Every structure is written in structure tokens, then in C-alpha cells.
Amino acid sequence: MPNITVELLSGRTMDQRREFVSAVTEAAVGILKARKESVRIVFQEIEKSDVANGGLLESDK
Amino acid sequence: MPNITVELLSGRTMDQRREFVSAVTEAAVGILKARKESVRIVFQEIEKSDVANGGLLESDK
Amino acid sequence: MPNITVELLSGRTMDQRREFVSAVTEAAVGILKARKESVRIVFQEIEKSDVANGGLLESDK
Amino acid sequence: MPNITVELLSGRTMDQRREFVSAVTEAAVGILKARKESVRIVFQEIEKSDVANGGLLESDK
Amino acid sequence: MPNITVELLSGRTMDQRREFVSAVTEAAVGILKARKESVRIVFQEIEKSDVANGGLLESDK
Amino acid sequence: MPNITVELLSGRTMDQRREFVSAVTEAAVGILKARKESVRIVFQEIEKSDVANGGLLESDK
């Protein structure tokens, strides 16, 4: 704990994931006082055709 | 807000998504008094082999 | 199916929920061709201190 | 109800899913007193590159 | 892993939770070949006024 | 986007939330190249009696 889910559009590189995971884990440890080995992060990639804002699919914008 | 997640079996067309997104957004604005641009909808497609009801996978029915 | 989760700020009345549930279920049946009895909707109320946009908690805005 | 989501690494066979679904449904009925036909289980497979523990992606370990 | 979320109506006792957690963990270890210490289960209690099936809130049935 | 959900044990202060939200948003902007105003973070507090690891509720440890 914490258990962090990151819903994001596809297209990020593995290096971006690595850097982001490292930064968020560090923040959880430093600020929330989590134990490092307990910080869990899951990425859920979604496509533009899977998400709508304001009544329109992102793939239609 | 609201942030709406729609878990559904695969097989819907893009036009069905468009219509559904439009209807749900309208309901959120008209009934829940949400601001239109704040209504977010995400589709999560699942396969019949990913879901079970009553102890049986849907793909086995 | 579909299984729909509606994350929203607290403060809606039961009548707003009833109307919204009715409208969304109708849209799922009419547009997505779901069976009415299979449409499931869950509300998850959240507080302004539980959500941040743009780096600021909503309760601090 | 209950509505159970199982986030797991890919690689399980269909027979493992069948057995697991059967065991969990039986536990929900026997222990939680759920009606069998109301027990819903959804599998969400994730890849090792989608999950990090302790600041490192599982695919980098 | 697996990371299991159990959405259920409120009203279960702590002993029911204990028994259910034990049974599901055992099934994950025995059937899915998970390591016991990696099986994580989270309960999310919901009220009847938070869930609708077939267009009606459960609290209105 | 990204839409980030942080499941954590209760007990963090508002200042810890503020600092964490700020750090994670900065990481999303700097590393994932998200637009700042599109970064959404939701906290879901859970109690020790709601989570089990290794077959035991955290409240029983």
C-alpha cells in the first residue's frame, strides 16, 4: 500500500514508465511514509476510441 | 466529474459508442447537473472468457 | 452487462439517482442492445478532499 | 453481488480460470451467503510491463 | 498478485470476511499457483442505495 | 489524463495529500508529457479491516 492505478493513453515508452514509477514511488515513501516495497503501481493503457470527454469520443476530436 | 466507467462485452460498433456517450452525457448534465465538459466516460471491453456469472465462465455457456 | 460505475461528488439526491439510473439503463438497452435486467450501475460518491485536478485538491479551490 | 475483480498476470489456462471461478463462487455462496447466480467474477490480465512493485517494473526484475 | 477486489453489500461480519479471505487465498495458491504472501484482497462495501439493477436502485425494490 | 487512483490506508493528513498530489502531477507533466490541467488524482481510503494480504486481514495482524 498504496496501490496506485494509472489510466493513461497508449503511446508512452518503457523509459517513461520507468521514470514515472520511480518518481511516484519516491513520493509515496517520502510524503505518505509508505514502505518502498509496499508501493504498487499498475498502468492501464486506453485508446482514444475508449474515452469520451464532454460527450465526444477522443478519437472523434 | 462524473467519471463513468462502462465495462461491456466486446462487439459494439463505434456508432453505438458515440450514441451511448451522447445520451449518458446528456443525462449527466440534465439530471445530475454536471458541466458537460466535465463528464468523462471510459469503455472497458471484456471478452466472454474474462467473465463468470453463477460459477461459470460466459464463454462456457 | 454492461456494468457501469459512476464516480461522482456527493450531494446528489435519491431522486436524481433514480432518474439517472433510469435514463442510463434505457440508453444501454436502446443503443447497446443490453438486456434490461443485466444493466448494473454502481455509484461511488467522493468528497472534494478526495480528488485533485491540475495538481490541486478540489477542496482547496 | 458480490462483484469480484481479479487482476492477475497473464499466463493462466482456461482450466485454471474455470476451477478458480468455481471455488470462489462456492466460497461466496457458502460463507457470504450470496445467491449463486448473483456471483460475478471478472478477470483483468496484466503484463509484467504494466505493474511495478517497490519502484521497479516487474518486467525489469 | 493476484489483486482481488470484492464489491459487496454491507452487512457481512468480520468472521465471514476472515473465512472468505482464507478460502479465496487458498484457491489462488492452489489453483492459480500464486505465492500466498502475494495474494491481496480488498473489500468495498456498498449500500443498497448505491447500486441499481434493471433500472431500479436496490433500495427501492 | 492520466487518471490516477490512489488506494491507501486511512490516516494521512490533508497536507500529505496536498504534497503528494503536487509531486505526482509534476511527474506526470514532466515525464509523461501530460497537460497539467488534465492530471486527475482520486484518493480511496481503506481501513485495515478491508484489506487482506497473505490470507489474513490487516486488522488481525
Side-chain angles (χ1 to χ4, degrees):
Chain A
M1 200 89 73
N3 183 43
I4 299 171
T5 305
V6 182
E7 201 179 66
L8 79 178
L9 286 177
S10 61
R12 271 7 78 166
T13 66
M14 288 305 294
D15 273 346
Q16 283 177 301
R17 288 191 177 203
R18 281 182 193 104
E19 252 196 275
F20 187 68
V21 153
S22 174
V24 171
T25 301
E26 195 180 315
V29 171
I31 300 166
L32 303 179
K33 306 308 174 197
R35 287 181 307 131
K36 187 173 181 182
E37 66 272 24
S38 301
V39 182
R40 183 173 181 268
I41 301 174
V42 175
F43 291 100
Q44 296 185 332
E45 284 204 345
I46 58 183
E47 303 299 321
K48 286 191 169 184
S49 54
D50 288 328
V51 59
N53 285 292
L56 278 181
L57 292 173
E58 287 299 317
S59 53
D60 284 343
K61 289 182 179 175
Chain B
M1 201 89 72
N3 183 42
I4 299 171
T5 305
V6 182
E7 202 179 65
L8 78 178
L9 286 178
S10 61
R12 270 8 77 168
T13 66
M14 288 306 293
D15 274 346
Q16 282 177 301
R17 288 191 175 203
R18 281 182 193 105
E19 252 196 274
F20 187 68
V21 153
S22 174
V24 171
T25 301
E26 196 180 312
V29 172
I31 300 166
L32 303 179
K33 307 307 174 198
R35 285 181 308 130
K36 187 174 182 181
E37 66 272 24
S38 300
V39 182
R40 183 173 181 268
I41 301 174
V42 175
F43 291 100
Q44 295 185 333
E45 284 204 345
I46 58 183
E47 303 300 321
K48 285 192 169 184
S49 54
D50 288 329
V51 60
N53 285 292
L56 278 182
L57 292 173
E58 286 299 316
S59 53
D60 285 343
K61 290 181 178 175
Chain C
M1 200 89 73
N3 184 43
I4 299 172
T5 304
V6 182
E7 202 179 64
L8 79 178
L9 285 178
S10 61
R12 272 3 81 167
T13 66
M14 288 305 294
D15 273 347
Q16 283 177 301
R17 287 190 177 204
R18 283 183 191 104
E19 252 196 275
F20 187 68
V21 154
S22 173
V24 172
T25 301
E26 195 180 313
V29 171
I31 299 166
L32 303 180
K33 307 307 173 200
R35 286 181 307 130
K36 188 174 181 181
E37 66 271 25
S38 301
V39 182
R40 182 173 182 268
I41 301 175
V42 175
F43 291 99
Q44 295 185 332
E45 283 204 346
I46 59 182
E47 303 300 322
K48 286 192 169 182
S49 54
D50 289 328
V51 59
N53 286 290
L56 278 181
L57 292 173
E58 286 299 316
S59 53
D60 284 343
K61 288 183 179 174
Chain D
M1 201 89 72
N3 184 42
I4 299 171
T5 305
V6 182
E7 203 179 64
L8 79 178
L9 285 179
S10 61
R12 271 5 80 168
T13 66
M14 288 304 295
D15 273 346
Q16 283 178 300
R17 287 190 177 205
R18 283 183 191 105
E19 251 195 276
F20 187 69
V21 154
S22 174
V24 171
T25 301
E26 196 180 313
V29 171
I31 300 166
L32 302 179
K33 307 308 175 198
R35 286 181 307 131
K36 188 175 181 181
E37 66 271 25
S38 300
V39 182
R40 183 173 182 268
I41 301 175
V42 174
F43 291 100
Q44 294 185 332
E45 284 203 346
I46 58 182
E47 303 299 322
K48 285 191 169 184
S49 54
D50 288 329
V51 60
N53 286 291
L56 278 182
L57 291 173
E58 287 299 317
S59 53
D60 284 343
K61 289 182 179 176
Chain E
M1 200 90 72
N3 183 43
I4 298 172
T5 305
V6 182
E7 202 178 66
L8 79 177
L9 286 178
S10 61
R12 271 7 79 169
T13 66
M14 288 305 294
D15 273 346
Q16 284 178 300
R17 288 191 176 203
R18 282 183 192 105
E19 252 196 275
F20 187 67
V21 154
S22 174
V24 171
T25 302
E26 196 180 313
V29 172
I31 300 166
L32 302 180
K33 306 308 173 198
R35 286 181 307 130
K36 186 173 182 182
E37 66 271 25
S38 301
V39 182
R40 183 174 181 268
I41 301 175
V42 175
F43 291 100
Q44 295 184 333
E45 284 205 345
I46 58 183
E47 303 300 321
K48 285 192 169 183
S49 54
D50 288 329
V51 59
N53 285 291
L56 278 181
L57 292 173
E58 287 299 317
S59 54
D60 284 344
K61 289 182 179 176
Chain F
M1 201 89 72
N3 183 43
I4 298 171
T5 305
V6 182
E7 203 178 64
L8 80 178
L9 285 178
S10 62
R12 272 4 81 167
T13 66
M14 288 305 295
D15 273 347
Q16 282 177 301
R17 288 191 177 204
R18 282 183 191 103
E19 252 197 276
F20 187 68
V21 153
S22 174
V24 172
T25 301
E26 197 180 311
V29 171
I31 300 166
L32 303 179
K33 306 307 173 198
R35 286 180 308 130
K36 187 175 181 181
E37 66 271 26
S38 301
V39 182
R40 183 172 182 268
I41 301 175
V42 174
F43 291 99
Q44 295 185 332
E45 284 203 346
I46 58 183
E47 303 300 322
K48 285 191 169 184
S49 54
D50 288 330
V51 60
N53 286 291
L56 277 182
L57 292 173
E58 286 299 316
S59 54
D60 284 342
K61 288 182 180 175

